[in-house]
Amino acid sequence: MDGRWTARLALTAAAAAVLVLLGFAGLRSIALVGLGAAGLAVAAVGLWWMLSRKGVVRVLGLVLALAAPLAVLVLYVIAGLLWVVLVSVVLWALAVSTGRAALAAQSGPASRPEPAAAPPAHPFLIMNPRSGGGKVGQFGLVDKAEALGAEVCVLDPAHPQDVTELARRAVDDGADLLGVAGGDGTQALVAAVAAERDVPFVVISAGTRNHFAMDLGLDREDPSTCLEALTDGVERRVDLGFAGDRVFVNNASFGAYAAVVQSPAYRADKARTTLEMLPDLLTHHGGPHLAVRAGGTAVDGPQAVLVSNNPYRMDDPAGLGLRERLDSGVLGMLGVKVDNAAQAAWMLRGRNGPGLTSLSARDVVVDADAPTVRAGVDGEALTLPTPVRCRIAPGALRVRLPRHRPGVPRGLPPMDWHRVRRLALRTGRDAAGPNSPAGHRTSRG
């Protein structure tokens, strides 16, 4: 099915969603939509009270968060219109998903040049045997890397070592490639040395979450496949982020999340510690007052700030936490500021909500009414002097990747009904995308 027919399916499904409501509910359809929106808003208010308050108000918030959606469903059942609402919602979801798919088909596949790279003469790899629950041992990464000619340094958990110094010493001794099998925090430290010395860097997805590996399109299920970069590799240049002097490959967080994870009690009981600390942090009764400047935008008093090395995908809930590019040359900044229950309800609007600031900038400055601020940099708990200037270093890191790898899932573009309608009305050659054979023939003509 080409983009035209997918767009036509989207418009048909959208029209059917409206007709089902009007045909079986009549004027009551307006009340049904309003009731559903009100239920979601009340649930959001309840969730805000549950996170930002203690005692009786927290219990009331939990009750509201659970009871509001249930009450809406009960009212739909009493009215005998539950099936109408469910069918309409399914049709609308189909309309949106097919509409975005139609727009994605028109954009064509994204391609970036990846020149082949000669195998390194003296690769040096650092491996953390505890990362990812012991993936280094499970997949035999040490033996496989040494069989490919790599020098491997296995970290001793009982005797912490300075991985930055290990990487610098290895380059001084002739290493022409650095790599890490470990968490993103260790990846960032060694990547900083690779960028500083202009040697290629290999990511081996042996950590727990492997966000950097995911955004490079590497196989996160089998980290041994990453070693193919040593023999059949291609090279890309990607950006690095800096929070002060500290490099990050993923992100630096400030505010509520950074404060919670640095609590001594967090590791022993994450849920309890979070619920105990969040009320003071969200209501500005605990922690420093933050102020953020990004480009020409200022955000005063956000409860949480996330600065990322390239923006995260925000248009698709399934793609949150994923970056389609690592070479755009800009930071992503996400700031959350919610001061009351009403603003919490408005957060349902997603990236358009008044309490959410999402933008891109070359520099982001995080200041506070304290000489230092707690931060989480690629999962590592740090305390940084204020103001913290976050910046991007475009193309600073040479990444060596396997030629054959899963790749980064393509995200669907934001829904645009005007574009979908225009696409649905096109015919034959007019609808051919720029990467289709017809499109090429047209451009040559």
Side-chain angles (χ1 to χ4, degrees), residues 170-241:
V171 177
D172 290 340
D173 291 341
D176 58 352
L177 178 144
L178 297 174
V180 174
D184 288 327
T186 307
Q187 298 277 2
L189 292 173
V190 180
V193 178
E196 172 189 303
R197 301 297 183 90
D198 195 30
V199 297
F201 180 68
V202 165
V203 176
I204 304 170
S205 56
T208 301
R209 297 179 181 86
N210 298 300
H211 288 300
F212 192 42
M214 174 179 67
D215 295 333
L216 288 169
L218 296 171
D219 188 342
R220 296 192 295 165
E221 300 300 322
D222 184 359
S224 66
T225 60
C226 301
L227 294 172
E228 296 174 11
L230 301 179
T231 56
D232 185 20
V234 295
E235 189 166 299
R236 281 180 55 191
R237 280 197 173 269
V238 303
D239 308 333
L240 286 179

Side-chain angles (χ1 to χ4, degrees), residues 18-52:
V18 175
L19 290 175
V20 165
L21 272 180
L22 292 176
F24 291 94
L27 293 178
R28 289 184 297 172
S29 61
I30 300 175
L32 291 177
V33 173
L35 184 62
L40 288 175
V42 172
V45 169
L47 183 61
W48 167 253
W49 284 349
M50 188 181 72
L51 295 176
S52 63

Side-chain angles (χ1 to χ4, degrees), residues 94-107:
L94 175 64
V96 173
S97 62
T98 52
R100 295 177 67 189
L103 296 177
Q106 290 303 106
S107 63

Side-chain angles (χ1 to χ4, degrees), residues 136-361:
V136 168
Q138 293 171 19
F139 290 90
L141 298 181
V142 175
D143 292 340
K144 291 177 180 179
E146 290 179 342
L148 295 175
E151 178 184 351
V152 179
C153 174
V154 181
L155 300 177
D156 183 357
H159 300 88
Q161 296 166 276
D162 186 339
V163 295
T164 299
E165 183 57 32
L166 287 173
R168 284 177 176 154
R169 191 183 309 144
V171 177
D172 290 340
D173 291 341
D176 58 352
L177 178 144
L178 297 174
V180 174
D184 288 327
T186 307
Q187 298 277 2
L189 292 173
V190 180
V193 178
E196 172 189 303
R197 301 297 183 90
D198 195 30
V199 297
F201 180 68
V202 165
V203 176
I204 304 170
S205 56
T208 301
R209 297 179 181 86
N210 298 300
H211 288 300
F212 192 42
M214 174 179 67
D215 295 333
L216 288 169
L218 296 171
D219 188 342
R220 296 192 295 165
E221 300 300 322
D222 184 359
S224 66
T225 60
C226 301
L227 294 172
E228 296 174 11
L230 301 179
T231 56
D232 185 20
V234 295
E235 189 166 299
R236 281 180 55 191
R237 280 197 173 269
V238 303
D239 308 333
L240 286 179
F242 285 80
D245 295 329
R246 180 65 179 252
V247 167
F248 59 89
V249 294
N250 292 323
N251 58 61
S253 62
F254 306 86
Y257 173 75
V260 169
V261 298
Q262 291 197 23
S263 169
Y266 180 75
R267 292 188 181 276
D269 193 339
K270 293 180 173 61
R272 180 184 293 274
T273 303
T274 300
L275 287 174
E276 287 180 351
M277 295 183 64
L278 274 181
D280 286 339
L281 294 170
L282 294 179
T283 56
H284 303 290
H285 294 146
H289 182 92
L290 300 180
V292 182
R293 298 190 308 277
T297 302
V299 183
D300 184 58
Q303 286 100 333
V305 179
L306 184 74
V307 182
S308 58
N309 173 22
N310 284 256
Y312 285 110
R313 188 191 300 172
M314 291 292 295
D315 56 293
D316 184 358
L320 289 177
L322 181 68
R323 295 165 293 178
E324 291 184 324
R325 294 190 61 177
L326 290 170
D327 59 358
S328 67
V330 293
L331 298 168
M333 195 284 284
L334 182 65
V336 178
K337 182 181 180 181
V338 181
D339 294 325
N340 51 56
Q343 289 183 357
W346 275 104
M347 288 288 287
L348 293 173
R349 294 178 59 189
R351 69 181 303 167
N352 295 318
L356 185 66
T357 301
S358 175
L359 51 82
S360 302

